[in-house]
Amino acid sequence: MKLLESFKQFYASSIGKKLLVALSGAVLLLFLLGHLLGNLVIYLGRGALNDYAEFLHHALHGMGVWIARVGLLGAVGIHIMATIHLAAQNRAARHSRYAYESTQTASKASRTMIISGTIILCFIIFHLLHFTILPNDLKDVTTAGHVRPDVYGMVVKGFQNVLVSLFYIVSMAFVCFHLSHGVSSVFQTLGFRSEKSADMIKWLGHGYAAFIFLGNISIPIAVLLGFLKF
Ligand code: HEM
């Protein structure tokens, strides 16, 4: 009971919400890196990507993927909820007579983060339907005769549709934009940004965002150019 009260107090403060946005954002940043490294296995061929997907789905007797899903869903939920509450709190504060110019600038940055974040959410819903929820009827038969879902075929077939590929590429641009600001925000909120390190952290954010962007868009582009074939 006391713990719940302390959490309520923590959440009521704007720094409490900022910390939750930053911590959940950090989880999502790490997920994106892991997911990209996993996606790049596609360049090792059908067998390698399907082995990797099979490993993910069978880790910890099938529990691993569910633990990751619950963790991810929790991080996405906390990130969105705390952002909405923080924006409402900032809006209320702006209407007070103590509003400063800097508050206006900060709210401009957070508004663009809210817009790119909303587009990313729409992308995630499409992406989950596309590759996770809707059934994948494609099958891959290993040399040992083992039949398993053909994740490689699903991705390549999916990106052979130019509109789908374009949608992914544009969505990745929004992910990139969101990350390039998000990385430095996480460092700042967690207290790791000083005047000395500010520039380095800014470039780290841009570099990280560019890596996620280029790595991910390389896949639909490689499919459209015929480097990755069904
Ligand atoms: C071109 C870029 C991407 C490709 C090729 C890709 C590919 C995939 C594939 C193949 C799966 C299904 C894996 C399986 O069932 O074995 C998947 C799942 C998923 N992807 Fe992506 N992805 C991309 C970008 C992204 C981005 C940018 C995000 C987040 C913003 C994201 C979030 C997810 C999530 C949350 C899942 C569900 C994991 C699960 O519960 O099974 N993906 N992705």
Side-chain angles (χ1 to χ4, degrees):
M1 225 31 201
K2 239 185 157 179
L3 198 70
L4 190 70
E5 273 312 307
S6 313
F7 180 76
K8 273 187 181 166
Q9 265 182 10
F10 166 79
Y11 192 74
S13 68
S14 86
I15 187 65
K17 286 190 270 294
K18 268 190 171 171
L19 267 174
L20 285 178
V21 173
L23 288 173
S24 54
V27 169
L28 298 172
L29 284 173
L30 290 178
F31 163 75
L32 274 177
L33 179 63
H35 192 39
L36 170 61
L37 296 178
N39 288 340
L40 292 178
V41 173
I42 198 166
Y43 290 110
L44 301 178
R46 186 187 301 268
L49 188 69
N50 291 345
D51 279 349
Y52 171 68
E54 203 173 11
F55 162 76
L56 286 185
H57 285 272
H58 290 95
L60 302 176
H61 303 283
M63 291 282 289
V65 71
W66 284 104
I67 294 171
R69 281 173 178 163
V70 170
L72 262 181
L73 199 69
V76 170
I78 290 170
H79 198 71
I80 295 174
M81 192 185 66
T83 305
I84 292 173
H85 288 158
L86 195 60
Q89 197 168 14
N90 287 344
R91 211 173 24 246
R94 260 206 320 283
H95 289 139
S96 85
R97 60 202 178 92
Y98 297 111
Y100 287 108
E101 190 74 11
S102 63
T103 321
Q104 303 275 338
T105 317
S107 79
K108 210 173 181 185
S110 57
R111 248 200 318 274
T112 45
M113 287 301 272
I114 287 173
I115 294 169
S116 55
T118 309
I119 294 170
I120 295 170
L121 184 64
C122 296
F123 160 76
I124 293 176
I125 294 170
F126 175 85
H127 182 51
L128 289 181
L129 285 170
H130 189 203
F131 284 160
T132 306
I133 298 172
L134 294 182
N136 166 27
D137 296 330
L138 300 172
K139 295 284 174 246
D140 173 32
V141 185
T142 64
T143 40
H146 171 54
V147 182
R148 59 189 180 174
D150 185 9
V151 175
Y152 173 95
M154 172 182 75
V155 172
V156 172
K157 261 201 149 172
F159 289 146
Q160 278 173 345
N161 182 322
V162 180
L163 287 180
V164 169
S165 278
L166 278 179
F167 174 69
Y168 268 77
I169 292 168
V170 172
S171 302
M172 289 312 119
F174 283 101
V175 171
C176 174
F177 174 81
H178 199 81
L179 291 186
S180 58
H181 180 78
V183 171
S184 30
S185 288
V186 167
F187 276 93
Q188 175 155 15
T189 308
L190 298 183
F192 296 126
R193 203 172 85 154
S194 64
E195 217 174 294
K196 239 174 146 187
S197 63
D199 266 353
M200 197 191 77
I201 287 172
K202 190 175 115 188
W203 288 111
L204 180 79
H206 291 339
Y208 187 79
F211 177 62
I212 299 286
F213 175 69
L214 293 173
N216 275 331
I217 66 162
S218 75
I219 300 172
I221 291 175
V223 172
L224 290 180
L225 294 179
F227 290 121
L228 290 172
K229 292 191 181 71
F230 181 66

